[in-house]
Amino acid sequence: RNSFLPEKTLICGYARSKKTDDEFRAQIGPYLKGGTDDDKRNFLERCVYRSGAYDSEEDVKSAFVGLRQFEKDTGLPLANRLFYFAIPPSVFVPIGTSLKNAVIGPSESGLAESEGVGWNRLIIEKPFGKDSESFELLHQNMGA
């Protein structure tokens, strides 16, 4: 409603639960505040959902095949990606490793901005470890 997101932004939910894009939109729709019904509908049209295991590179890779096509179809010169995690700490490393290996790592290493690869960022909502020792372990394993 405030045009904070670029027009060709796609938001992808990913979790183990199986659901359709429409089911995902119905789940998040009630949490949208403000704006008109058209604003909300336009936002929800940008939202898609993919399911898979957190520790399966193949599942993660499969989920992003369609997203890569969307990135190409936007016609924008660069695709920046932001991954937002609202997941239990026990799966930080498995999903981070899966993303690194299947989406933002070797499959795209060496690609230049001229080939449409921008930055990738991971945001983790939960506390990152329960003490200094667990923080250091997560920090090392996530390659932060």
Side-chain angles (χ1 to χ4, degrees):
R1 113 185 154 209
N2 293 318
S3 301
F4 292 136
L5 293 174
E7 182 182 328
K8 297 181 178 180
T9 298
L10 181 69
I11 299 161
C12 178
Y14 181 90
R16 294 172 294 190
S17 305
K18 296 209 183 292
K19 62 181 81 171
T20 66
D21 292 345
D22 287 336
E23 289 169 332
F24 177 61
R25 292 173 184 137
Q27 180 183 358
I28 64 175
Y31 295 98
L32 300 178
K33 305 296 180 204
T36 66
D37 287 345
D38 282 343
D39 292 334
K40 292 173 187 175
R41 188 172 33 264
N42 289 335
F43 175 80
L44 290 170
E45 286 174 2
R46 300 175 179 205
C47 299
V48 298
Y49 182 86
R50 304 295 177 262
S51 66
Y54 295 130
D55 60 351
S56 169
E57 289 177 29
E58 198 55 42
D59 284 357
V60 172
K61 186 176 184 178
S62 175
F64 283 90
V65 167
L67 299 181
R68 280 197 184 104
Q69 187 59 50
F70 173 84
E71 291 172 351
K72 289 178 186 177
D73 292 347
T74 64
L76 297 174
L78 196 63
N80 295 318
R81 300 179 186 133
L82 183 132
F83 300 93
Y84 178 87
F85 293 134
I87 55 177
S90 61
V91 296
F92 287 170
V93 173
I95 190 64
T97 301
S98 294
L99 279 169
K100 182 178 178 182
N101 292 335
V103 179
I104 60 177
S107 65
E108 294 184 344
S109 63
L111 296 179
E113 284 189 10
S114 63
E115 297 178 62
V117 177
W119 51 256
N120 291 282
R121 301 290 185 267
L122 282 66
I123 296 175
I124 298 176
E125 179 183 87
K126 307 291 184 192
F128 202 65
K130 58 183 181 286
D131 53 28
S132 294
E133 187 177 309
S134 62
F135 165 82
E136 281 302 323
L137 182 61
L138 284 168
H139 178 77
Q140 290 171 6
N141 288 326
M142 291 292 290

